[in-house]
Amino acid sequence: MRRVDIQARIKVLVVDDNYDHANGIKELISIESDCDVVGTAANASTAVAMVKKYKPDVILMDINMPDVDGITAIQKIKKVNENARIVAVTGYDDPDLIFRAMKVGARGYILKTMASSQLIYAIEEVAHGKIYLPSILAAKFFDHFQKSFKEETAVTTGEDDLLSYLTRREEEVLELLTQGITYKGVAKKLFISETTVKTHVNNIFQKLQVNDRTQAVLYAINHGIGRKNNNIKAAV
């Protein structure tokens, strides 16, 4: 039985800088569903242009992209079409990433390692106005949501409170930065991509209200992170 009537085929836009992965998703959707892939985009600006041109029902957004990351790309798309239905696609089950994707407007979140049937189901659920979050990720998302809500509503009583806004992963990244480790080195130690490290660093800058790595490191040292690294100030 066909899932969707031929008169209401779901139009899908795939946004992924990896050409092979984007075309693999396109082929998978064509073979295993009644959806139509109206195009693929390798960056945010192309994605925005294609959203305007094709008005897709669902946008599959890779989160780890160079230049403009997926979170920022979602925000750009929402500016031109506030009703855009977006499914974040990534290889990371980081609850902070899930939270930020949903916060800026994603209607679904799925891992690249999940079965193709789940991707098709996610597309169909989101296309019909629902939210899609696999059960394996739901608990992580809501735990992080509750923690973030408490942090946002808490009254800031002093400068030290800024560190409390960092997620556990951001704290790990910041502590490694205080050791003079490069972004590439941080990525290797935490088993994440360098693009993801840069995304975490940008979030750290915003939360600590600083403009660059040096200021972030000095703030961390002055407020208890990395003090055991005696030579760090010379390395910054």
Side-chain angles (χ1 to χ4, degrees), residues 140-178:
K140 288 187 176 183
F141 169 69
F142 284 108
D143 286 346
H144 187 75
F145 173 81
Q146 290 175 340
K147 177 184 176 183
S148 298
F149 179 78
K150 290 178 182 178
E151 290 176 348
E152 289 180 359
T153 55
V155 176
T156 301
T157 57
E159 191 179 31
D160 287 356
D161 289 338
L162 294 178
L163 287 175
S164 68
Y165 285 95
L166 301 183
T167 65
R168 182 171 59 83
R169 177 64 84 186
E170 288 165 357
E171 289 177 354
E172 292 172 345
V173 170
L174 182 56
E175 185 166 2
L176 291 173
L177 292 181
T178 67

Side-chain angles (χ1 to χ4, degrees), residues 85-97:
R85 294 170 176 171
I86 302 171
V87 177
V89 183
T90 181
Y92 304 102
D93 63 353
D94 185 339
D96 179 55
L97 199 55

Side-chain angles (χ1 to χ4, degrees), residues 14 18 40 58 71 74 90 95 151 161 191 202 207 212 224:
V14 179
N18 186 311
T40 60
V58 175
I71 300 297
I74 292 174
T90 181
E151 290 176 348
D161 289 338
F191 302 101
N202 286 333
K207 292 178 180 180
D212 56 39

